[in-house]
Amino acid sequence: MSTTLNFLAQEYVDLTVAKERHEKSTDVYWYTPQPYWKREDMSFSRDEKTLMEPLMDVKSEGRTLNDILDESDFLISCLELYKNKAKLEEMDRVNYLIDHAISLKTRALILLGENISYDDMTDKFYNLVAPIFDYSKFDEILKELDDTLPGTGPLSDRIIDFKRKILVPRDKLPRTLTAVTQEFHNFAVKNMDISKYNMPRLGFKNLNGLPFLTIFYGYCYDRFEYFRYLGLDYPYTVDKMVEVIGHEMEPGHLTYFEMRMKTFIDTSYPEMSIIAQHAPSSAFSEGSARRSVYMCFDNSMDKLIEFERDVIFDLGGLDKGLCKCMDVWHRFMDISNYGKLEVERNLWDGVWSKTDASKFMEKYLIADPGKGSEMVNHLPEDDGHFVCHDYGRDIVGEYFSSAAENTDKQWKLYQKLCKSHMSMKGIKDKTYKVSLSGDDDFLIV
Ligand SMILES: [Zn+2]
């Protein structure tokens, strides 16, 4: 029976890879189609659209978007048929494949120009629909900032000034970024069953404003060979540094990729070899990457800020007296991202014009005065980004808190989920069950 499911899963993988050349920017951001891979020569391009491009070359030829739409539709009906006679122990896998095939079909439809509402889009991509954000929180956080940030002028000026003061200067970036990468690597190795040899090799240079750029050389089982350049011209404020290092590398995405890679080789399940951006597994990846950063500090904001003070403020030569503002600053960043979610939703649904969106961003100081339209024009290119990342983080966080009573158990849960056929629907309504030790030991009953 599992051969049939493997066949259907391989179809999902092939269609996802074939779709990539029709994408606006990037969809596939992790792909390991065989147990071992190494570049055969050193003629790589730093402009490769995705990290995995060298691996996708051959398979991305051929199918049109309409072919992909037809085939994904057929794939969904095959999986539904299979589900009727699936064994209980196969159900998570079948549901995972159905959810992912639906997100693939929806992606093809949207690339073909289909109009669907924002909530419908995020539901089909990520199995998440974010409730309308409580707008009074935008006012409340500005009041808190006004009471907390140093200085006496208009709040917008004081925000700009604060951002400048928590910006690590260029000459101190290499040592600070290296130390933060090492610290997060240590957290990941301590808490997750991963190789200690996968700390990315770092390089530093101007990247035209990009935070990082990765060159992938090869992999085998739990070992990756890759080089990560970190941008010296990127505005690494203290909070951004935590985000980019902890979330993008370890214990965030790199750790998830490593767990998936091992699972793919251990089980031969083709779907474990790929993660597409517009899919439920990506919402888990983004949500858990952010949550795992908090877990490094026992889910305590105070401990995170102590780390920022002792490592980033210290090595970056910043004024440690400003640490007392970091709690409200982090919350302001989180709330601002929910503001961007509302912008994304209202623009997508045609409720707001770009001018409305830009005014909203400036009103709530999400954008600096006069910079609203620039921010509106440079929102992330992946559709539903803030639902996938920010709402995803809160949903994964609520699930972790309710399913595991302490941080130790949450790390174990994270590890299990990385290797599982997770369900964002089940994580959202807290019905997804994971066994931590034996088969009967369900976390959620
Ligand atoms: Zn991410």
Side-chain angles (χ1 to χ4, degrees):
M1 289 287 271
S2 70
T3 51
T4 310
L5 264 190
N6 281 350
F7 175 81
L8 296 173
Q10 188 60 51
E11 174 76 353
Y12 164 74
V13 174
D14 291 350
L15 288 171
T16 304
V17 171
K19 187 176 55 55
E20 191 65 6
R21 72 190 179 98
H22 303 288
E23 282 289 342
K24 289 180 282 184
S25 60
T26 298
D27 186 49
V28 174
Y29 69 94
W30 185 251
Y31 181 50
T32 49
Q34 64 237 15
Y36 172 85
W37 174 77
K38 196 172 184 188
R39 276 181 192 274
E40 285 168 357
D41 59 46
M42 295 302 284
S43 59
F44 56 85
S45 161
R46 288 189 170 76
D47 299 323
E48 277 165 10
K49 201 175 79 174
T50 77
L51 195 59
M52 299 302 170
E53 206 157 303
L55 285 156
M56 298 195 296
D57 267 1
V58 179
K59 285 194 166 177
S60 53
E61 299 304 320
R63 290 158 164 127
T64 66
L65 273 178
N66 274 310
D67 293 338
I68 294 165
L69 183 63
D70 286 349
E71 284 187 57
S72 56
D73 212 21
F74 182 61
L75 174 61
I76 294 165
S77 54
C78 292
L79 286 163
E80 295 282 8
L81 210 60
Y82 187 94
K83 188 175 173 175
N84 293 335
K85 54 179 174 48
K87 294 182 206 133
L88 189 62
E89 61 268 28
E90 291 178 313
M91 221 35 115
D92 278 352
R93 187 176 181 207
V94 177
N95 286 330
Y96 176 100
L97 288 169
I98 290 174
D99 290 342
H100 282 72
I102 290 172
S103 68
L104 166 73
K105 177 189 165 185
T106 308
R107 189 71 197 150
L109 273 172
I110 284 175
L111 291 172
L112 282 164
E114 176 103 342
N115 283 325
I116 62 172
S117 74
Y118 184 84
D119 289 349
D120 195 15
M121 176 265 288
T122 65
D123 191 15
K124 296 226 167 68
F125 282 166
Y126 310 117
N127 300 148
L128 290 175
V129 177
I132 305 284
F133 196 69
D134 175 1
Y135 280 37
S136 67
K137 290 191 176 155
F138 296 127
D139 292 307
E140 283 165 23
I141 195 73
L142 291 188
K143 170 84 176 66
E144 270 196 79
L145 281 168
D146 200 32
D147 293 342
T148 313
L149 292 188
T152 50
L155 182 57
S156 56
D157 288 353
R158 288 156 61 208
I159 287 177
I160 293 170
D161 190 48
F162 186 75
K163 253 188 283 191
R164 193 178 49 75
K165 285 180 175 152
I166 59 164
L167 186 73
V168 176
R170 184 188 167 98
D171 64 318
K172 303 215 167 44
L173 273 178
R175 74 177 193 193
T176 315
L177 284 162
T178 303
V180 174
T181 305
Q182 181 70 57
E183 292 283 347
F184 276 111
H185 172 74
N186 295 345
F187 284 127
V189 171
K190 179 171 165 245
N191 293 296
M192 301 286 280
D193 177 25
I194 52 160
S195 160
K196 65 180 179 188
Y197 299 107
N198 285 344
M199 178 166 150
R201 277 173 260 179
L202 302 180
F204 304 92
K205 59 186 210 162
N206 287 351
L207 295 172
N208 294 321
L210 280 179
F212 62 87
L213 186 84
T214 307
I215 309 290
F216 200 44
Y217 293 105
Y219 63 77
C220 65
Y221 197 57
D222 60 355
R223 284 291 295 271
F224 303 135
E225 295 294 333
Y226 80 70
F227 198 94
R228 180 158 278 194
Y229 289 104
L230 293 163
L232 288 175
D233 52 351
Y234 181 78
Y236 275 111
T237 51
V238 172
D239 53 305
K240 284 278 182 305
M241 197 177 285
V242 167
E243 180 67 28
V244 170
I245 305 298
H247 167 136
E248 299 288 349
M249 291 195 262
E250 302 170 288
H253 294 329
L254 184 62
T255 299
Y256 184 41
F257 298 158
E258 185 174 336
M259 306 298 303
R260 293 273 293 213
M261 173 72 199
K262 286 162 77 170
T263 311
F264 166 61
I265 294 171
D266 289 343
T267 62
S268 297
Y269 293 157
E271 69 277 19
M272 285 290 158
S273 68
I274 198 162
I275 302 172
Q277 187 84 57
H278 302 90
S281 47
S282 153
F284 173 74
S285 175
E286 299 299 351
S288 64
R290 290 192 168 198
R291 176 70 185 194
S292 68
V293 169
Y294 299 153
M295 276 151 52
C296 294
F297 308 103
D298 207 14
N299 297 309
S300 151
M301 182 57 85
D302 288 348
K303 287 187 187 168
L304 167 63
I305 295 168
E306 271 170 37
F307 170 83
E308 291 175 339
R309 182 193 64 207
D310 295 346
V311 181
I312 309 179
F313 276 82
D314 192 59
L315 291 171
L318 305 173
D319 174 4
K320 290 182 186 175
L322 297 171
C323 288
K324 63 178 184 303
C325 308
M326 287 308 290
D327 175 50
V328 65
W329 184 257
H330 281 292
R331 283 187 285 117
F332 175 52
M333 288 295 109
D334 288 352
I335 288 175
S336 294
N337 281 346
Y338 271 102
K340 291 178 191 171
L341 190 160
E342 292 305 332
V343 165
E344 206 184 27
R345 171 159 38 204
N346 284 300
L347 283 174
W348 180 281
D349 288 340
V351 178
W352 288 357
S353 67
K354 281 193 171 185
T355 313
D356 298 331
S358 140
K359 278 188 191 151
F360 171 87
M361 302 263 239
E362 291 186 29
K363 177 180 175 189
Y364 290 114
L365 304 180
I366 297 165
D368 294 339
K371 300 278 184 191
S373 66
E374 195 182 315
M375 192 174 268
V376 169
N377 288 324
H378 290 94
L379 285 172
E381 285 177 328
D382 45 320
D383 298 326
H385 176 93
F386 297 99
V387 170
C388 179
H389 284 70
D390 295 86
Y391 186 57
R393 174 204 56 213
D394 290 348
I395 291 301
V396 168
E398 282 168 24
Y399 176 81
F400 276 31
S401 307
S402 73
E405 71 260 28
N406 58 43
T407 315
D408 257 5
K409 285 197 173 166
Q410 289 179 16
W411 281 112
K412 290 194 177 76
L413 176 61
Y414 177 40
Q415 176 149 322
K416 284 269 180 182
L417 285 166
C418 286
K419 302 180 91 168
S420 78
H421 288 103
M422 44 57 60
S423 151
M424 276 315 284
K425 287 176 192 155
I427 286 176
K428 169 89 199 301
D429 64 17
K430 303 191 179 77
T431 56
Y432 187 72
K433 293 178 183 178
V434 184
S435 160
L436 274 191
S437 50
D439 283 339
D440 314 313
D441 183 16
F442 287 126
L443 276 162
I444 296 185
V445 287

